[in-house]
Structure formats: structure tokens, C-alpha cells
Amino acid sequence: MIARAALAAACLLGGAALAQNAPPLPGAGAGTPFPLALGGAFELTDQNGAPRGHADPDGNLQLLFFGYANCAAICTVALPLMADITDIAAEDGLTVTPVMVTVDPARDTVASIGPALRDYHDDFVGLTGSEDDLAPVYDLFSVDHSVIFHDPEYGDVYAHGSHIYLLDGQGEVLTMLPPVLDADHAAGIVATYAGPPLEG
């Protein structure tokens, strides 16, 4: 129990600064531009070994999280929440794609990331690449990550961002969802963005 609490604290540290500076969740939904300069174009490799960028191939809203598949702390809160939001949205006729970008490419390879994420939801997209591929993506989303300690059971334990980014189908950041929200509340926020695309 103590080890689990330590893991949770370590993972949350990486997102603490961003959480403190995050704006209130916009309530107006579609048509409300996000007030921070986050996100941008990128291309990584998905769990099938195919290139995958910031835009959803089918134009769906996306839930984007930075974590790692064997994380025993905040990821075990954020990833199930993303799965629940995806299912609640589907019940309302809205397709949302859950996406995780790894902060641990050594363990989250093309071969391993897909099966691990399918434990949470069949629709999960796992994105990985080399450290050089991933570094610019972390910068785009202001994601800090670092190894805090090595756990004998879980391996390297990372501090990393804790927020879930809501992106539109073109990969534009719409808002951020803290993983402390319950699934119904978070899905309600997501639904407010299921409107006409933002005009630039």
C-alpha cells in the first residue's frame, strides 16, 4: 500500500506545475478557443507500426494522455477514465478516440503498447517512437517526464503529466481534463465540444 502511494505521488509530481497553471475548464464548448499555446503537428508510430499524426484519420474528437502502459499510479486512473468517457460518448452517438503517447519508449514498443492498452479499451491508440521522435511532442504539450526511482516490481517509475487533453479531429487542443473528474462529468464536457469545427 505504501509503495502504491509512493508511485502515485511520483507520477503526480510531473503534472503538478501544469495543473496549477491550467485555466478553468471552459464551459462554452465548441467555438471557445483554448487560451494556452499547446499542441501542434506531430507524427509518431502506432501499435500496428503505422505512422499516426496529431489528426484523427476519421475526424473524431480525441482524448490524449502522456503516460506509460505499465504505470501503476496516475495512469491507472487516467486510462480507465478515458475508456469510460469513450463508452459514455458512444452511448450518446459521439465517437471519441482515446490516445496515449508513451513517456517510456524503451518498454512501450510497437509490440507491447497495444496489448497493454487493450486491457483498458479496444479502441485505444498507443503512440511510440524513438526518444528523438517523442521529445518534440512532449515540448508541444508542455509535458515534463523523468525517472523518479526504480521499483523492483514495476521497473522505472516516471513523474509525468497528469492531464488528459481533448483534441478535435484535426488535432487542435480544445481543453484539458484533470483525471480527478468523474466519467459522467468529463464526458459531459467532451460533449460540449461536439459541434462545428473552430474557425481560424
Side-chain angles (χ1 to χ4, degrees), residues 30-130:
T32 302
F34 189 64
L36 299 179
L38 291 175
F42 66 83
E43 184 172 280
L44 295 170
T45 303
D46 72 13
Q47 70 268 27
N48 300 311
R52 168 86 177 215
H54 55 289
D56 184 88
D58 299 314
N60 297 321
L61 290 174
Q62 304 171 83
L63 297 168
L64 177 66
F65 181 72
F66 290 81
Y68 56 112
N70 73 331
C71 174
I74 193 62
C75 302
T76 62
V77 175
L79 299 179
L81 175 60
M82 293 166 69
D84 290 343
I85 295 169
T86 300
D87 286 339
I88 293 169
E91 291 172 4
D92 294 332
L94 176 62
T95 302
V96 177
T97 304
V99 180
M100 188 194 79
V101 173
T102 187
V103 298
D104 185 6
R107 285 182 290 185
D108 284 342
T109 64
V110 169
S112 66
I113 195 170
L117 290 176
R118 276 197 298 275
D119 287 343
Y120 294 102
H121 200 285
D122 287 341
D123 292 341
F124 246 110
V125 174
L127 298 181
T128 188
S130 69

Side-chain angles (χ1 to χ4, degrees), residues 5 15 19 24 31 44 50 58 70-71 107 124 129 139 142 156 173-174 181 190 196:
L44 295 170
D58 299 314
N70 73 331
C71 174
R107 285 182 290 185
F124 246 110
D139 289 343
S142 295
D156 287 341
V173 176
L174 299 174
L181 296 176
V190 170

